[in-house]
Amino acid sequence: MTDQTPDNPFRDQHIKSFVKRRGHISRAQERAVEEGMPKWGIAYSSQSSIDFDKQWGTQGKPNWLEIGFGMGETTAKIAKAHPEVNYLGVEIYTAGVGSLIKKIEEEGIENIRIISHDVVDVLRDMIPDASLDKVLLYFPDPWRKARHHKRRLIQPEFVAKLAKKMKPGGVLHCATDWENYAHHMHDVLSVAPDWQNVASTPFVPRPDDRPLTKFENRGLKLGHGVWDLLYRVR
């Protein structure tokens, strides 16, 4: 048996749902990260979990987690529309983190905090059990090739672990523009013992609280589909 102590580099290994590459990042985004993360960021730690009330300076507000917020366009819109929630965004790519921080400061959004790290580690080490009211997963990498499907984030083990982090009745909202991944998500979640489909059909129309992005709107005009799924912890 592998010793899974915090000092062991093989602790709870998992297949990454992303490939970390050095993508383009502007100087403005770099500066936003350098100057903004001390204020808006939460450093990943394998030794301490988040106290949401203390971290946000609130008491008893709903806790929402967005997984992989990309460049932060949707994140900023949702958090601004819901100032009553503690909004945590997790994103591995520095350019996206910088882009979101710029939006936070330009638009005066106060309720977002950011962790730049693998969400699987963040869930395991930093998110207390029964603490999340809502989790958002919008347009994750679909890993289109069949041999890469094992890299898709939505897998039985992941959704089982995620369920433990949700409050009773907590909601998972997924959206994808890749039909094969949409059916994969449905196949995984529909048989997961901790989750129940909110709808009577596999997919739902885009809820009003998920903003339509420029990329998505362009795709819809070209006839591309988008599939939303809503599941609730039993």
Side-chain angles (χ1 to χ4, degrees):
M1 180 178 293
T2 302
D3 178 15
Q4 294 188 346
T5 62
D7 297 327
N8 191 320
F10 300 104
R11 175 176 181 262
D12 197 22
Q13 285 187 331
H14 60 274
I15 298 172
K16 302 293 186 184
S17 62
F18 59 89
V19 175
K20 193 72 177 349
R21 300 185 182 94
R22 172 70 182 180
H24 173 74
I25 180 169
S26 70
R27 179 57 193 138
Q29 290 165 346
E30 287 183 335
R31 186 166 53 249
V33 172
E34 292 165 3
E35 298 175 359
M37 280 299 277
K39 180 177 182 181
W40 305 110
I42 301 173
Y44 165 74
S45 171
S46 63
Q47 303 297 306
S48 60
S49 60
I50 297 171
D51 182 329
F52 281 89
D53 287 344
K54 183 177 180 180
Q55 185 69 52
W56 271 258
T58 61
Q59 188 65 43
K61 288 190 174 183
N63 302 320
W64 291 13
L65 167 67
E66 183 178 359
I67 299 172
F69 55 73
M71 300 306 285
E73 175 190 351
T74 297
T75 306
K77 289 179 180 178
I78 296 175
K80 191 171 185 178
H82 294 278
E84 76 281 2
V85 309
N86 300 326
Y87 201 107
L88 175 62
V90 177
E91 174 58 61
I92 197 71
Y93 295 107
T94 306
V97 172
S99 177
L100 178 57
I101 290 175
K102 287 177 80 272
K103 290 178 174 65
I104 288 172
E105 298 189 338
E106 289 168 359
E107 300 180 31
I109 305 170
E110 298 287 338
N111 61 326
I112 298 177
R113 300 294 181 272
I114 298 168
I115 299 178
S116 185
H117 195 81
D118 185 347
V119 72
V120 175
D121 296 338
V122 172
L123 278 174
R124 181 192 64 216
D125 298 328
M126 298 190 70
I127 305 298
D129 289 352
S131 65
L132 299 174
D133 295 88
K134 191 171 185 178
V135 173
L136 313 175
L137 178 64
Y138 296 156
F139 306 102
D141 193 328
W143 292 101
R144 294 173 172 82
K145 295 180 179 179
R147 69 176 184 271
H148 292 154
H149 286 182
K150 61 182 179 292
R151 287 185 174 273
R152 289 174 169 178
L153 185 62
I154 296 297
Q155 303 288 357
E157 183 180 7
F158 178 78
V159 299
K161 291 180 177 179
L162 182 60
K164 292 181 172 57
K165 305 300 177 178
M166 308 293 293
K167 294 179 184 177
V171 171
L172 170 63
H173 181 189
C174 302
T176 180
D177 57 354
W178 191 251
E179 186 174 9
N180 179 273
Y181 196 12
H183 287 285
H184 170 91
M185 290 178 174
H186 169 67
D187 290 345
V188 170
L189 287 162
S190 64
V191 298
D194 298 314
W195 295 95
Q196 181 176 14
N197 197 339
V198 171
S200 58
T201 55
F203 310 111
V204 298
R206 178 180 62 87
D208 292 338
D209 60 0
R210 182 174 72 75
L212 188 67
T213 67
K214 294 176 184 177
F215 173 82
E216 180 183 359
N217 193 42
R218 185 163 59 246
L220 290 172
K221 289 179 179 178
L222 293 172
H224 300 168
V226 174
W227 293 264
D228 285 77
L229 302 87
L230 286 174
Y231 275 78
R232 178 177 287 116
V233 169
R234 296 181 187 275

